[in-house]
Amino acid sequence: MRILTRYILLEMLTVFLITMGSMTVFIFLGLIGKEAVDNGLGAGPILRLLPYLLPQAMQFSVPGALLLATTVVYGRVSSSNEIVAVKSLGITPMVMLWPTLLFAFIVSFGAVALNDLAVSWGTNGVKRVIIESFEEIAYGQLRTRKMFGNEKFKVNVKTVVGKRLIGPVITFESGSGNVSIIRADAAEMNVNIATGALDVKLFNTEGGLKGWTVNLPGEIERSFPLEQALGGGSSKPGPSETPLRDIKIAKVDQGKQIDWLKHEMAAATSMALMLGRFDELSQSQWSAREGNLKWSRRELNKLNVEPYRRWANGFSCLGFVLIGAPMAVRRRHGEFWGSFFACFLPILLVYYPMLVGCVTQAKDGAIPPQAVWLGNFVLAAWGVWLMRRVIRF
């Protein structure tokens, strides 16, 4: 028995490590290319991104590599009639299967930790590198494309000389939602990471808003939120970027914020009724407060869902092995690619849509967060059914 256990584990470990390494390199290069193209990164920022992108690449490669390794090993074992030989000795096929199930169980815990590392440390690290490289990214795009920005903040120039922008036109969305346009003869941009602001020096400026035009000769300085210049993302980690160890504290803080919003709305209602200011209770006056309360509740739902999502994602590894091993044994022809796609296509078409759908519904509060595990239970049920057929026949 121990010989069979060591044999299967050694085969699985060897194929898994080789497959995971190959898939990680392929996905890693894809992620690097995407960040480089999307943000216009040079060699320096790309090198600083590498450690943060590695967990994100492994997050995707580990489950796929484990499924492929399982179909390769058990496809070869089945095609060489080793399962038949074990049965002929009166030994249950589970002797050949349980080592891989145990291995997948252990890997699943590692996958949970990897998912947590990728979406928290990895994602926040990528954001930090992009912020630190903002000037390089912005000036690089302005030199090559004469334009940089997004829907809320955009800069167009005639040309760039050193750090000086010639003929810049800055279009940005103000706090009230109005769009303002600033034109100048020249400008210089500097990032202040400490304050989270983009400081722009403007020379001979002309600004316009709602038909009004203001001319300001000489040099002035205008600051824009760096979040707005980067595309409107928040510097504070969201629920999907919060480490598992910090989610409990974040839920308490979010609950306090919801209570504070409720108390504020109750106090405002009482004051309006006492003073007879009934116009303050109109829908137009309350829409912003109701929107803030709705957003805060959804953030709390996201925090409730995140632990279940990460654990369910990690334990998909065990579900993949539960399906891949008996499927490869049943096919008996050593066609591991056929076994792999026979497992992967249903997973792709059933499991992942179920996972995404349940996560979305749970974030909206339509279903409890525990429902995120539904796809894993479907995988487990399918795998157990296949296992029973392998053991019986």
Side-chain angles (χ1 to χ4, degrees), residues 1 18 41 64 170 177 225 236 249 295 320 326 344:
M1 298 295 182
I18 293 173
L41 300 178
I170 302 175
K236 180 183 176 182
I249 298 173
W295 180 86
F320 291 177
F344 181 70

Side-chain angles (χ1 to χ4, degrees), residues 131-132 191-199 226:
I131 290 173
E132 293 171 352
V191 173
N192 190 331
I193 297 177
T195 61
L198 173 64
D199 299 327
L226 197 54

Side-chain angles (χ1 to χ4, degrees), residues 254-288:
Q254 194 65 33
K256 290 179 180 178
Q257 182 179 351
I258 291 172
D259 291 338
W260 183 84
L261 287 172
K262 289 180 178 178
H263 292 156
E264 184 188 40
M265 293 174 71
T269 302
S270 300
M271 185 65 68
L273 291 173
M274 276 195 336
L275 299 177
R277 298 174 182 172
F278 300 110
D279 57 314
E280 295 181 3
L281 302 178
S282 63
Q283 184 63 33
S284 59
Q285 295 290 328
W286 280 82
S287 58

Side-chain angles (χ1 to χ4, degrees), residues 85-221:
V86 167
K87 286 184 177 181
S88 68
L89 294 173
I91 302 173
T92 174
M94 280 303 298
V95 171
M96 304 284 283
L97 294 172
W98 78 259
T100 299
L101 295 178
L102 178 61
F103 177 69
F105 184 73
I106 296 171
V107 170
S108 295
F109 281 101
V112 173
L114 190 62
N115 289 340
D116 185 47
L117 187 69
V119 301
S120 56
W121 180 79
T123 302
N124 292 323
V126 169
K127 285 184 177 181
R128 186 165 57 254
V129 171
I130 292 174
I131 290 173
E132 293 171 352
S133 309
F134 180 85
E135 285 187 33
E136 179 181 339
I137 296 170
Y139 274 101
Q141 292 193 21
L142 287 169
R143 288 189 182 97
T144 57
R145 299 166 51 192
K146 312 300 182 188
M147 186 273 289
F148 169 81
N150 51 75
E151 293 180 356
K152 294 186 177 182
F153 179 85
K154 187 180 295 183
V155 181
N156 293 275
V157 298
K158 293 179 180 178
T159 187
V160 180
V161 180
K163 283 199 67 176
R164 176 158 290 208
L165 310 178
I166 307 302
V169 179
I170 302 175
T171 306
F172 64 97
E173 183 180 306
S174 62
S176 58
N178 297 314
V179 176
S180 303
I181 300 175
I182 296 176
R183 294 179 175 86
D185 291 342
E188 290 183 8
M189 295 191 302
N190 294 285
V191 173
N192 190 331
I193 297 177
T195 61
L198 173 64
D199 299 327
V200 183
K201 289 183 180 179
L202 299 156
F203 304 90
N204 299 327
T205 309
E206 177 185 295
L209 174 64
K210 291 185 175 180
W212 292 84
T213 302
V214 178
N215 292 303
L216 299 171
E219 179 182 324
I220 65 168
E221 186 168 318

